[in-house]
Amino acid sequence: MPFALALALLAAQPVTPDAQEPPAAQDNFSGVDWEKEFGVEKKVADPVTGELPVDPYEQSPANAEAAPFTGDSMARAFGGRDGIRRIVDRLVMLNESDPRISAIFKNQDMVRLRRTLFEQFCFLLNAGCAYTGRDMTAAHKDLGITRADLNALVENLQQAMREGQVPFAAQNRLLAKLAPMDRHIVER
């Protein structure tokens, strides 16, 4: 019995840290900058454009991956530059809110996406724009886009074009021009 009593008294004693042992580490990491700890470089948006910096690349009209239509009938069918911009803005909104593909757009530079997508459509529709974006392979690298993802995006583009009152024949002509790009976009 004396051993049990001694053990009970010992257990009831307050524990004081040994002077030679450091205090226990606290589990509060709220003040830690994990990106700095792991050497993650923070990208700062351009103060004028709002775009994040990208690695240098050669700008070329060939990066649009297709030749523009001739004449101005396609540009007119899409409502000119203003109509093209509305369609691109609506397409981006639909993609960001589409549960099938919204994850692809998280952590992406949506300002740059809107600009380069507008430039590409404007260039292809012969509405007087230059395309300054990357080629399709580089632009979509490591996004893991599947055929189903691309199909969802095309459905959203069709909806944006319908809402923009683009004639059906003009929609199909643009889609036919964009279709061969799938081999540069789909990764799995």
Side-chain angles (χ1 to χ4, degrees):
M1 239 352 158
F3 178 71
L5 181 61
L7 189 60
L9 287 173
L10 184 62
Q13 294 291 324
V15 177
T16 57
D18 190 3
Q20 296 175 351
E21 292 182 28
Q26 295 181 359
D27 290 333
N28 182 358
F29 298 111
S30 62
V32 177
D33 183 348
W34 291 109
E35 290 181 346
K36 183 177 179 183
E37 286 290 320
F38 288 99
V40 175
E41 184 181 330
K42 292 182 183 180
K43 293 185 177 183
V44 178
D46 182 282
V48 176
T49 67
E51 293 182 18
L52 297 173
V54 295
D55 292 335
Y57 61 94
E58 185 178 336
Q59 292 184 6
S60 167
N63 289 351
E65 304 281 345
F69 290 100
T70 57
D72 66 349
S73 63
M74 286 296 287
R76 283 188 287 111
F78 277 75
R81 288 183 183 189
D82 290 340
I84 296 166
R85 187 170 308 283
R86 282 191 299 275
I87 290 165
V88 166
D89 287 345
R90 181 65 177 141
L91 171 61
V92 171
M93 286 175 41
L94 290 168
N95 291 336
E96 286 180 302
S97 65
D98 187 332
R100 299 173 295 174
I101 59 175
S102 61
I104 295 169
F105 296 93
K106 289 197 184 336
N107 300 318
Q108 299 300 318
D109 184 348
M110 300 309 289
V111 174
R112 180 177 180 77
L113 175 67
R114 275 189 170 86
R115 179 183 61 79
T116 56
L117 195 56
F118 166 76
E119 287 178 358
Q120 184 184 34
F121 284 11
C122 185
F123 172 77
L124 294 175
L125 295 167
N126 201 23
C129 298
Y131 178 64
T132 64
R134 295 176 287 182
D135 65 79
M136 296 302 100
T137 302
H140 298 90
K141 185 177 190 239
D142 297 329
L143 292 178
I145 296 174
T146 66
R147 172 82 42 217
D149 297 333
L150 188 59
N151 289 343
L153 185 137
V154 170
E155 289 173 18
N156 292 338
L157 175 56
Q158 290 171 313
Q159 180 178 339
M161 291 187 294
R162 276 192 310 274
E163 290 176 10
Q165 300 180 347
V166 176
F168 189 70
Q171 291 180 35
N172 284 340
R173 288 184 69 198
L174 177 62
L175 291 172
K177 190 167 283 285
L178 297 173
M181 297 177 195
D182 72 337
R183 67 182 181 271
H184 303 289
I185 295 170
V186 174
E187 292 185 321
R188 53 189 180 107

